Amino acid sequence: MTVYYRPLVQHGPLKPEGAVPLAGQELWFTHAERLIRDAPAEIAETKDIPKDYLDLLTRPRAPMTGLPMDRPHIMGILNATPDSFSDGGVHNSVDTARAAASEMVGHGATILDIGGESTRPGAAFVPEDEEIARTQPLIQAIRAECDALISIDTRRASVAKAAHQAGAGLINDVSGFTFDPALAPFCAEIGAPVCVMHMQGDPGTMQDDPHYDNVLLDVYDFLAAQVAQLEAMGLRRDQILVDPGIGFGKTEDHNLTLLRNLSLFHGLGCPILLGVSRKGFIGQIGREPRKDARAPGSIAVALAGLSQGVQVLRVHDVAETAQALRLWAAVR
């Protein structure tokens, strides 16, 4: 019987007895929701959480390639694709991509995520040589002018190798290292930090009929298994970001359940990445059909994620998100 603990996160300087920090941040908690499959949830005090589990929830996350994980970071999305759901065709040339990267960093992005294969629902498969041709020149150009951490958004080892040679320092795999068996060993070999994401199915079919026994615990168990596998290959836990994969093989109800319970994923002992920017459920709930007009809804969800201790926000609208973060921090 597996037992899970979801911290009931709070903030503020007046911490009651028994309060412990969440992942080394200013956020804290005194109680957690105790979850067991097919059983009612219960409330547990921190003193009742097993020591090893509590340590994973509370210990500070080590810096990742120099980026401190005790504060939020913005990952700017830069897709070199003709068909990405929101910004397809916008950054196809080296010059436009380089200008966009410079602008994002200037507005506050500390990570840039470069992708050459659309993973929108229904997206077609892209040959790996085409994916390399789309991403490698962009990464080389951006690396020559920018000190930000560059992430390559890919499922393939060959693409990751080309990107790493060009200057990428983080491997972001939407398949959670299930697509290409050569990718995880390559990351371990070079010691590169990674992001492991949950996706049910593949981009072409993931939204056909997503279903789970328990979406929250199913996603958690998948990420736990993949983190353990990556550790067994030689990557340290502090080199691994986890992403619950909002919108990837999930219904609106699945997405909302994950978003309401994000603090559970701190039990993996890894920093959490949240990618919700401009996604379909934001358009549906926010009543905004235009993808590029969904910044307000995207920011609302991002701030809710930060209140549960998320460390990295993957966004299209960097300037608007950075402004919101500054206000969020000041009010807190």
Side-chain angles (χ1 to χ4, degrees), residues 246 251-257 259-260 279-289 294 297 300-301:
I246 302 299
T251 65
E252 181 179 299
D253 285 344
H254 292 149
N255 290 328
L256 292 175
T257 296
L259 290 167
R260 293 184 186 113
K279 290 192 173 176
F281 79 99
I282 290 176
Q284 292 160 10
I285 297 173
R287 302 176 186 175
E288 178 50 78
R294 294 177 186 166
V301 179

Side-chain angles (χ1 to χ4, degrees), residues 9-11 22 27 263 301-310 328 332:
V9 185
Q10 302 185 60
H11 67 87
L22 180 70
L27 299 168
S263 62
V301 179
L303 295 182
L306 292 183
S307 295
Q308 294 193 59
V310 165
W328 176 82
R332 287 180 58 229

Side-chain angles (χ1 to χ4, degrees), residues 155-285:
R155 300 181 287 170
R156 299 183 176 103
S158 60
V159 179
K161 289 177 183 178
H164 177 68
Q165 292 168 358
L170 172 69
I171 315 299
N172 179 16
D173 182 0
V174 297
S175 80
F177 294 88
T178 63
F179 181 81
D180 185 346
L183 181 54
F186 168 70
C187 294
E189 176 188 340
I190 63 173
V194 303
C195 180
V196 54
M197 195 192 84
H198 175 274
M199 174 171 60
Q200 188 178 89
D202 59 62
T205 61
M206 64 186 180
Q207 291 305 114
D208 289 352
D209 183 28
H211 61 278
Y212 300 86
D213 293 331
N214 180 315
V215 65
L216 180 64
L217 302 185
D218 289 356
V219 171
Y220 184 97
D221 285 350
F222 170 83
L223 293 174
Q226 296 309 103
V227 168
Q229 183 180 38
L230 290 165
E231 275 194 306
M233 290 182 179
L235 282 169
R236 302 187 312 274
R237 194 168 290 248
D238 61 18
Q239 293 177 289
I240 304 170
L241 284 161
V242 293
D243 179 352
I246 302 299
F248 283 81
K250 280 97 176 172
T251 65
E252 181 179 299
D253 285 344
H254 292 149
N255 290 328
L256 292 175
T257 296
L258 291 167
L259 290 167
R260 293 184 186 113
N261 296 279
L262 284 171
S263 62
L264 176 76
F265 296 99
H266 290 290
L268 297 169
C270 302
I272 300 170
L273 183 147
L274 180 63
V276 297
S277 183
R278 300 183 182 180
K279 290 192 173 176
F281 79 99
I282 290 176
Q284 292 160 10
I285 297 173

